[in-house]
Amino acid sequence: MFALVDCNNFYASCERVFNPNLQGKPVAILSNNDGCVIARSDEAKALGLPMGAPIFKWESFCKANAVTVFSSNYPLYGDMSSRVMSILKQFSPDVEVYSVDESFLQLKGFENYDLFTYGSQIKTRVFKWTGIPTCVGIAPTKALSKVANKVARKFPNQTKGVHVIDTDDKRVKALKWLKIDDVWGIGRQLNKRLQLKGCKTAYDFTQLSDSWVKNNFSVVEARLQRDLQGIPTLKLDDQLTQKKRIATTRSFDYSYSDIDYIKERVSTFAVTCAEKLRKQGSSCHVIIVFLKSDRHKKNLAQHRVSTSVNLSYPSNSSLIISNCAVNAVMSIFKKGIQYKKAGVIVTGLVPTGNHQLHLFDAENPKHQPLMQSIDKINAKYRGHKIRIANQDLKRTWKMRQERLSPRYTTNINDIIVVK
């Protein structure tokens, strides 16, 4: 059996833990630089505040409906997520942290357990220890545990926040209730194709012939169908799997046309990518750099451009990757354009200690020990005390966060004092 534990309205719930006055009131969380809505409480959803709404267009709506709006407080959310996940590991040794607010638990050897009671214990402990409300779905497969969780979330009064699919009748009933576009793993394009086939519900999808699914879709959809049929097919993902590409992308606090500013930001993004490469023991063959203007400002000239740099040898050196990224910016930058976002992506990853050597070209052998020393010092003293020359030593990444709540659990100055 598998259990999916999902935190309800996670970002909003984190804010409510330390500000109980927000309980039962509409809450919305904004994206980087206070751009658009990325999370809403149930009350905000009921008012009609849409996901992705640009806040500058919905500011008056939020004020009129008393919606409390927060900037994204990622240090707080990340720490609360870590606390929830550590609790879940007490209930099963096999845990897959699927996202910041949900995890799969594989329940091996629980045949004689009352799974509804066990799920209730998980829900109760997480709420008691963190204040975060959750829903728990338990079923024979991962995909069905997702379905069970949706049932628990949709019908809290009947399920008490926990739903167990342990019979075929329950499976069929849940699948007939769930719309095809709400099925885990069914994206927009796949939904359109299934709708044309007459699939309106998850149950309709499971009734398609295996041969038709294999001939018209990929092996991923075939596995999903078998999982929904109650045949265990999808396994817990290996948390040690190496990433195939690494990206650092950011929206600027304001729009900029200064190439020196943009070069410094891109250099910092490139260094961050290089640090992530070294952390997972990888090197990259390709560096992709992109620039984007603000698409919301229709009155300004628009420019969205990207370019790639192919390395003759794989590298994870901050010096090499930053230098290539800055040169790429100079080749695609367009004078007079107000740029709002930039990013660096490294791909073509290979293990650092096991890759094809180049006959005539190779990385400076001094780079690797230098990078190791920089990483060690920065890890010890934090705050990136050592940077390369084309980074601004006085500038840190600063987002526009005009509605930021305190970092209650990660900053000693923000800890609540009880008097």
Side-chain angles (χ1 to χ4, degrees), residues 372-391:
Q372 291 173 7
S373 298
I374 290 176
D375 290 342
K376 186 176 181 180
I377 293 173
N378 283 337
K380 182 177 181 179
Y381 295 102
R382 302 186 178 182
H384 289 85
K385 301 299 183 183
I386 298 182
R387 307 185 190 187
I388 62 176
N390 56 6
Q391 290 182 270

Side-chain angles (χ1 to χ4, degrees), residues 336-354:
I337 298 294
Q338 296 278 338
Y339 290 103
K340 180 63 176 175
K341 187 175 184 178
V344 177
I345 304 169
V346 291
T347 186
L349 307 189
V350 295
T352 297
N354 181 21

Side-chain angles (χ1 to χ4, degrees), residues 128-396:
K128 184 176 181 180
W129 289 13
T130 68
I132 300 295
T134 59
C135 284
V136 182
I138 301 176
T141 69
K142 281 182 72 175
L144 285 174
S145 70
K146 267 278 192 180
V147 176
N149 189 279
K150 286 183 177 292
V151 174
R153 183 82 169 86
K154 183 67 175 179
F155 305 102
N157 294 331
Q158 297 91 326
T159 64
K160 306 302 180 185
V162 179
H163 186 61
V164 181
I165 296 178
D166 52 4
T167 67
D168 199 55
D169 287 342
K170 288 184 178 180
R171 179 186 71 86
V172 171
K173 183 179 180 180
L175 293 181
K176 286 184 176 180
W177 164 78
L178 187 65
K179 295 180 180 179
I180 187 64
D181 56 346
D182 288 332
V183 175
W184 177 47
I186 301 294
R188 185 178 302 174
Q189 296 302 319
L190 183 56
N191 175 45
K192 290 180 180 178
R193 294 172 65 187
L194 289 172
Q195 293 280 0
L196 292 174
K197 184 65 177 175
C199 289
K200 304 297 183 183
T201 67
Y203 180 75
D204 296 335
F205 178 55
T206 63
Q207 297 307 294
L208 296 175
S209 67
D210 293 347
S211 59
W212 188 88
V213 173
K214 290 179 181 178
N215 291 334
N216 290 273
F217 299 115
S218 70
V219 66
V220 175
E221 284 75 34
R223 290 172 179 170
L224 175 60
Q225 186 196 43
R226 289 173 60 82
D227 230 49
L228 290 172
Q229 290 170 341
I231 305 169
T233 307
L234 303 175
K235 302 182 183 301
L236 292 186
D237 287 342
D238 182 1
Q239 296 298 297
L240 299 178
T241 300
Q242 300 290 291
K243 294 181 179 179
K244 296 182 179 180
R245 62 188 315 191
I246 292 173
T248 301
T249 66
R250 298 284 190 276
S251 293
F252 304 139
D253 50 353
Y254 299 99
S255 297
Y256 291 92
S257 58
D258 180 3
I259 189 172
D260 290 331
Y261 176 90
I262 295 174
K263 282 165 56 179
E264 192 280 331
R265 291 291 82 193
V266 167
S267 172
T268 298
F269 301 163
V271 169
T272 300
C273 286
E275 291 171 346
K276 292 178 180 178
L277 283 172
R278 296 195 293 274
K279 190 173 182 179
Q280 77 166 29
S282 299
S283 296
C284 72
H285 275 289
V286 182
I287 303 165
I288 302 171
V289 178
F290 71 81
L291 298 175
K292 294 181 180 179
S293 56
D294 191 343
R295 60 186 175 87
H296 294 294
K297 296 182 178 179
K298 306 295 185 183
N299 59 318
L300 298 179
Q302 299 293 312
H303 190 221
R304 300 164 68 90
V305 63
S306 66
T307 187
S308 61
V309 179
N310 296 312
L311 302 179
S312 57
Y313 52 85
S315 176
N316 60 21
S317 167
S318 296
L319 301 176
I320 293 173
I321 295 175
S322 174
N323 187 54
C324 290
V326 169
N327 289 335
V329 166
M330 295 173 66
S331 71
I332 61 177
F333 177 85
K334 192 173 180 180
K335 190 174 181 180
I337 298 294
Q338 296 278 338
Y339 290 103
K340 180 63 176 175
K341 187 175 184 178
V344 177
I345 304 169
V346 291
T347 186
L349 307 189
V350 295
T352 297
N354 181 21
H355 56 78
Q356 182 72 41
L357 299 177
H358 194 281
L359 184 59
F360 302 107
D361 203 3
E363 184 176 271
N364 187 326
K366 295 181 179 179
H367 280 207
Q368 285 303 314
L370 175 61
M371 293 300 111
Q372 291 173 7
S373 298
I374 290 176
D375 290 342
K376 186 176 181 180
I377 293 173
N378 283 337
K380 182 177 181 179
Y381 295 102
R382 302 186 178 182
H384 289 85
K385 301 299 183 183
I386 298 182
R387 307 185 190 187
I388 62 176
N390 56 6
Q391 290 182 270
D392 189 335
L393 297 178
K394 297 180 180 180
R395 179 181 293 158
T396 58

Side-chain angles (χ1 to χ4, degrees), residues 117-133:
T117 301
Y118 199 68
S120 299
Q121 290 174 357
I122 296 174
K123 177 179 171 64
T124 300
R125 185 176 299 180
V126 171
F127 185 76
K128 184 176 181 180
W129 289 13
T130 68
I132 300 295

